Amino acid sequence: MEIARGVIPLTPVSSRSSREGGRGGSGGNTPADSIFDQVLPNAVVARSSELFALGRKSSLWTLSFGLACCAIEMMSTHMSHHDLDRFGVVTWPSPRQSDVMIVAGTVVKKMAEPIKLLYEQMPDPKWVIAMGSCATNGGPYYRSYSVVMGVDHLIPVDVYVPGCPPRPEALMYGIMQLQEKISEDARARGEASKA
Amino acid sequence: MALSSLLPEVYSDLDIEIGAALDEVVVTVRPSDVSAACRIAKDDPRLAFDYLRCLSVVDYVDRLEVVYHLFSLGRLHRLVIKAAAPPDSPRVPSVVSVWKGADWFEREAHDLFGVVFEGHPNPAPLLLYEGFEGHPGLKSFPFHEYDEW
Amino acid sequence: MQFQQQPAQQADSLDLMVNMGPQHPSTHGVFRLVIWIDGERIVRAEPHIGYLHRGSEKLCEGEQYGQIITLFDRLDYVSNLNCELAFCLTVEKLMGLEVPDRASCIRVVLCELNRIASHMLFYGVFGLDAGAMTPILYGFRERERVQSLFERVTGARMMHNYIRVGGVKEDLPSDFAERLGELTALLRAGIDECDELLTNNELFLSRTKGVGAIGGSEGVDYGLSGPSLRAAGVAEDVRVSEPYSIYDRFDYGIPVGTYGDCFDRYYVRMEEMRQSLRIVDQAMEQMEPGPVSAKVRRIARPPKGEAYLRTESPRGDFGVYLVSDGSDKPYRVKVRAPSFANLQALQRLLRGAYVADAVVILGSIDIVLGEVDR
Ligand code: SF4
């Protein structure tokens, strides 16, 4: 029963700091001044699935998995100018600790098996973003003998980002859509279990 | 051009045909003579073609033409060697022993056109996956038709 | 300092096989490398490619000349304009077409900027390969600046489709000179800053100096070209040895290394960026108002025949072999990709190296899988 366990009492921050002996004095950014103490109660009631979804969507680790040209734009998105870190998105080299797979580039038949393997290596829950027209439907290579016409022939895709290559802003929007989808899904699941 | 007047002398042992394509001198040899012709092109000090610019195959349906673009870094001149192989059993001697850089070019040509380079040290598939049927570079290989809209 | 590598001990029974890729953050794309190691030394290395083989050459046979430019954009996707230029020049050579002077100047300016953007990506990624996290942030900062200028000119950040057969798509925007002035000033400072940041770093030096060395004549034999060959002491640059477009008009130097090791390959590229800026300045001075495209039919139909042309892309000798049968589609297009040839030498470079250096050596030859596999 998810709802029964949904109340999470948070220890008041002020009491904790006094119990630990505090940092002495009241200079600087003392936790007691926290705005949350003033406006929010120190307990939040939420459905656990939604709470977990909140955590998941705010810290998406993407599998750094560049396939082709789109990967360069994906790297641009991660780097200094566009700074994807501010969405909590961190790129991670191993599938074992990643939540999101951004398929950035052309999926070739020779690469199909490794992609499936990588997807299966990722722990649940996992999401897939198909970045660029190649990963969506073959893109400019739709007449090629060796290209898979869209990564959705291999693995389920949650968000498609169109473009060739999509601009960094487009990828960011795709990620925001995915975040929305994660919380929407959790809410819908909660509604379903209540009914 | 100095090069084209030099060629009949250098290649006096081989059966060659000298032509031109735009600004390049083209030497056409028999497929079985390819590696001899390349060896001479590299070793003869008057030619000294030490750099293999490109190795390509063109499918003219009635023949498969293997084309070697050569360049000499010392003398700054260039040459094209061509050999027309029969399309049913294209066999050409390998030139990996002449230029090491020919290795992958030949493997690629074998993948895409089915040209067999005799004496290649490692004729494994390079670009295509295991079990790919056919040679996609050939004119007879169809495009993927996509009508799933 | 010794720049020689000790030959590997030949032990075959205890060799350990290590597989890297196809998904590996340091392979710069989808590339698989299998190495056999004996202790710390690599005894044999075998690269596997083809994980991005999209069949571009075959696709070219089914498209019109104007449409193929988009496929060339996507070959070497780090230096798109250089690939477009190579293809358009080949078609123009076959057609015997004269390109207006202004168009040539525009092409040169943009291609050299693209070379800087490409080397900046190399700089960042190579730093990452050698274990330094910061350079990539700086490298991308500079790259982003170049890309935003490209966006102003061509309308796209990466896939420009701007250079066309006979010229360029349209004239430069009115504020181009001003923006370019700002950009080159920023780039000049940026290159110096990047240089300072990494080049004299003790850790970086000891990871790259004397690692993965190759001699000049051996490099030529393997078909190396571009910065990787120049680092080995061979002063070969297609812009000089077989000048194309209007490269014979400019005054610039060709940086040449001595030892052919990873550090030389890195530093040749750093110097090349400075030389590219010199070319950009000269091309801007020579640019006169005028038409930006020759009079060509919308659908180009080169005469029957064949042409081969090589250009100097940021990675080396980028050649295009074009066979035409007189129709609006080429009969055969063959791309001689510099990364493809350079990657062959990897087997030789890795033999006898430490396993920890494998990634640095791979990074130093700066491959782009899009053109390796085509
Ligand atoms: S969608 Fe375009 S940019 Fe992206 S991988 Fe495909 S061809 Fe390259």
Side-chain angles (χ1 to χ4, degrees):
Chain A
M1 288 304 289
E2 285 183 322
I3 301 166
R5 282 189 274 113
V7 179
I8 298 184
L10 302 176
T11 324
V13 185
S14 48
S15 72
R16 185 174 57 199
S17 67
S18 67
R19 199 166 53 233
E20 285 163 0
R23 281 186 241 144
S26 57
N29 184 15
T30 45
D33 299 342
S34 164
I35 180 101
F36 293 109
D37 281 353
Q38 291 162 24
V39 295
L40 287 178
N42 277 330
V44 177
V45 181
R47 216 173 264 126
S48 64
S49 60
E50 280 178 41
L51 210 54
F52 286 149
L54 183 71
R56 279 175 188 142
K57 77 171 200 185
S58 324
S59 153
L60 293 171
W61 287 21
T62 66
L63 178 61
S64 60
F65 182 43
L67 283 163
C69 350
C70 280
I72 305 291
E73 281 299 67
M74 186 177 75
M75 280 160 79
S76 296
T77 322
H78 279 292
M79 285 307 147
S80 28
H81 193 82
H82 296 283
D83 190 16
L84 205 49
D85 269 16
R86 62 207 155 103
F87 294 96
V89 178
V90 179
T91 172
W92 197 255
S94 161
R96 302 280 184 197
Q97 286 95 18
S98 321
D99 312 304
V100 186
M101 183 184 208
I102 301 184
V103 185
T106 321
V107 182
V108 164
K109 285 179 188 159
K110 191 168 177 176
M111 195 59 200
E113 282 306 310
I115 286 184
K116 262 192 226 163
L117 188 67
L118 283 170
Y119 181 74
E120 277 152 19
Q121 281 174 338
M122 284 165 56
D124 265 335
K126 53 193 169 188
W127 298 276
V128 177
I129 297 180
M131 179 184 182
S133 39
C134 281
T136 307
N137 64 357
Y141 300 98
Y142 74 103
R143 289 180 80 192
S144 169
Y145 52 85
S146 65
V147 171
V148 179
M149 300 302 153
V151 72
D152 45 9
H153 288 262
L154 303 172
I155 52 176
V157 177
D158 295 276
V159 176
Y160 296 89
V161 183
C164 182
R167 297 178 56 87
E169 290 86 343
L171 180 59
M172 284 183 220
Y173 185 67
I175 283 179
M176 283 170 354
Q177 292 295 306
L178 180 63
Q179 291 177 332
E180 209 163 284
K181 177 178 170 146
I182 293 170
S183 50
E184 284 293 320
D185 279 359
R187 196 167 309 141
R189 256 203 310 280
E191 300 291 328
S193 71
K194 203 160 59 179
Chain B
M1 222 190 245
L3 189 62
S4 44
S5 56
L6 196 63
L7 286 171
E9 193 186 323
V10 176
Y11 283 123
S12 51
D13 300 346
L14 300 178
D15 177 16
I16 62 161
E17 202 179 297
I18 299 174
L22 288 187
D23 51 347
E24 316 252 4
V25 184
V26 182
V27 175
T28 312
V29 300
R30 278 195 310 241
S32 52
D33 291 342
V34 163
S35 97
C38 289
R39 173 59 62 203
I40 294 172
K42 187 181 183 193
D43 289 349
D44 193 294
R46 290 167 292 179
L47 299 181
F49 286 108
D50 47 1
Y51 179 58
L52 177 71
R53 281 189 290 172
C54 185
L55 191 163
S56 28
V57 182
V58 188
D59 176 18
Y60 288 106
V61 184
D62 59 335
R63 64 187 196 280
L64 275 177
E65 207 167 69
V66 188
V67 188
Y68 302 79
H69 285 86
L70 314 181
F71 186 69
S72 167
L73 291 181
R75 297 183 174 270
L76 295 184
H77 57 199
R78 51 212 168 146
L79 180 71
V80 184
I81 295 182
K82 285 189 180 180
D88 40 344
S89 74
R91 301 182 88 78
V92 175
S94 163
V95 294
V96 177
S97 56
V98 185
W99 300 282
K100 290 208 190 75
D103 185 349
W104 281 14
F105 284 101
E106 290 186 351
R107 277 171 71 181
E108 186 202 336
H110 176 74
D111 261 13
L112 301 187
F113 291 90
V115 179
V116 178
F117 290 90
E118 285 163 333
H120 189 284
N122 177 23
L126 184 69
L127 293 178
L128 300 178
Y129 50 91
E130 296 273 323
F132 190 94
E133 304 251 332
H135 300 291
L138 297 176
K139 286 281 169 188
S140 55
F141 195 92
F143 286 110
H144 173 87
E145 287 310 336
Y146 193 57
D147 44 19
E148 235 180 84
W149 303 101
Chain C
M1 195 184 241
Q2 269 279 358
F3 291 106
Q4 284 286 313
Q5 286 182 347
Q6 271 76 44
Q9 304 268 299
Q10 289 297 326
D12 23 36
S13 55
L14 292 171
D15 290 352
L16 178 69
M17 192 189 100
V18 181
N19 175 53
M20 228 176 103
Q23 186 267 339
H24 187 279
S26 298
T27 54
H28 301 200
V30 274
F31 165 67
R32 180 163 164 238
L33 181 66
V34 183
I35 50 183
W36 282 264
I37 53 177
D38 171 26
E40 290 272 306
R41 297 277 188 188
I42 298 172
V43 268
R44 192 155 86 83
E46 202 174 311
H48 290 265
I49 61 169
Y51 292 96
L52 190 51
H53 177 61
R54 310 189 269 202
S56 306
E57 287 176 3
K58 173 88 176 172
L59 286 182
C60 287
E61 294 170 13
E63 309 280 345
Q64 290 172 343
Y65 286 92
Q67 298 171 311
I68 291 173
I69 300 172
T70 56
L71 289 175
F72 268 71
D73 259 334
R74 288 155 180 81
L75 281 179
D76 180 350
Y77 42 75
V78 183
S79 57
N80 323 71
L81 284 163
N82 286 283
C83 298
E84 289 176 20
L85 179 69
F87 179 71
C88 291
L89 283 174
T90 317
V91 180
E92 284 154 13
K93 182 177 173 183
L94 196 55
M95 294 170 77
L97 208 62
E98 273 293 322
V99 181
D101 199 65
R102 184 174 173 85
S104 296
C105 287
I106 295 176
R107 286 174 172 189
V108 167
V109 169
L110 293 182
C111 285
E112 291 306 315
L113 286 177
N114 210 166
R115 188 184 308 274
I116 295 173
S118 162
H119 284 347
M120 271 299 169
L121 184 90
F122 161 80
Y123 166 80
V125 177
F126 188 53
L128 209 58
D129 287 345
M133 180 63 210
T134 333
I136 193 160
L137 299 171
Y138 283 78
F140 263 94
R141 183 189 66 185
E142 305 302 326
R143 195 180 146 80
E144 206 65 44
R145 285 175 180 156
V146 181
Q147 277 186 326
S148 50
L149 183 75
F150 283 164
E151 192 175 2
R152 180 81 181 92
V153 178
T154 68
R157 284 163 52 87
M158 275 175 70
M159 304 303 176
H160 311 289
N161 195 9
Y162 180 69
I163 297 179
R164 301 284 169 87
V165 175
V168 295
K169 183 178 122 219
E170 61 193 4
D171 207 345
L172 295 171
S174 51
D175 59 348
F176 180 76
E178 197 185 315
R179 283 200 179 212
L180 184 72
E182 282 168 25
L183 176 72
T184 44
L186 282 173
L187 281 179
R188 235 171 228 121
I191 293 169
D192 288 347
E193 192 182 0
C194 289
D195 195 355
E196 242 165 69
L197 184 69
L198 193 58
T199 308
N200 295 319
N201 184 320
E202 185 61 39
L203 288 175
F204 178 72
L205 286 182
S206 49
R207 289 228 47 198
T208 54
K209 280 225 169 186
V211 172
I214 189 167
S217 56
E218 201 180 357
V220 173
D221 201 26
Y222 272 105
L224 277 187
S225 57
S228 308
L229 182 62
R230 288 195 283 278
V234 183
E236 145 73 6
D237 187 316
V238 185
R239 290 175 292 179
V240 176
S241 60
E242 276 188 71
Y244 55 94
S245 193
I246 52 166
Y247 274 103
D248 43 358
R249 282 206 229 152
F250 306 117
D251 170 31
Y252 57 97
I254 305 177
V256 173
T258 317
Y259 303 107
D261 55 6
C262 288
F263 181 78
D264 281 2
R265 284 195 281 273
Y266 155 76
Y267 207 66
V268 160
R269 290 189 172 94
M270 293 305 279
E271 279 300 323
E272 247 182 52
M273 289 196 268
R274 301 203 170 100
Q275 301 300 332
S276 291
L277 281 178
R278 282 178 67 189
I279 300 178
V280 169
D281 288 347
Q282 292 171 40
M284 276 312 277
E285 269 167 32
Q286 295 183 11
M287 201 185 285
E288 305 279 342
V292 291
S293 178
K295 293 241 175 317
V296 271
R297 304 233 311 267
R298 254 193 115 72
I299 296 173
R301 279 179 212 274
K304 208 166 156 83
E306 58 178 63
Y308 183 86
L309 184 121
R310 21 185 231 145
T311 60
E312 183 75 18
S313 96
R315 265 146 277 280
D317 169 359
F318 188 97
V320 180
Y321 179 48
L322 181 71
V323 182
S324 158
D325 58 357
S327 71
D328 57 346
K329 295 173 183 169
Y331 191 75
R332 167 98 168 104
V333 178
K334 161 84 188 169
V335 180
R336 190 263 188 218
S339 306
F340 181 74
N342 290 355
L343 193 56
Q344 289 184 69
L346 187 69
Q347 305 183 27
R348 152 70 187 75
L349 292 174
L350 286 182
R351 212 179 302 133
Y354 282 114
V355 65
D357 291 335
V359 166
V360 180
I361 295 173
L362 174 63
S364 74
I365 53 176
D366 189 18
I367 50 167
V368 167
L369 267 302
E371 70 172 6
V372 172
D373 296 338
R374 279 155 289 144

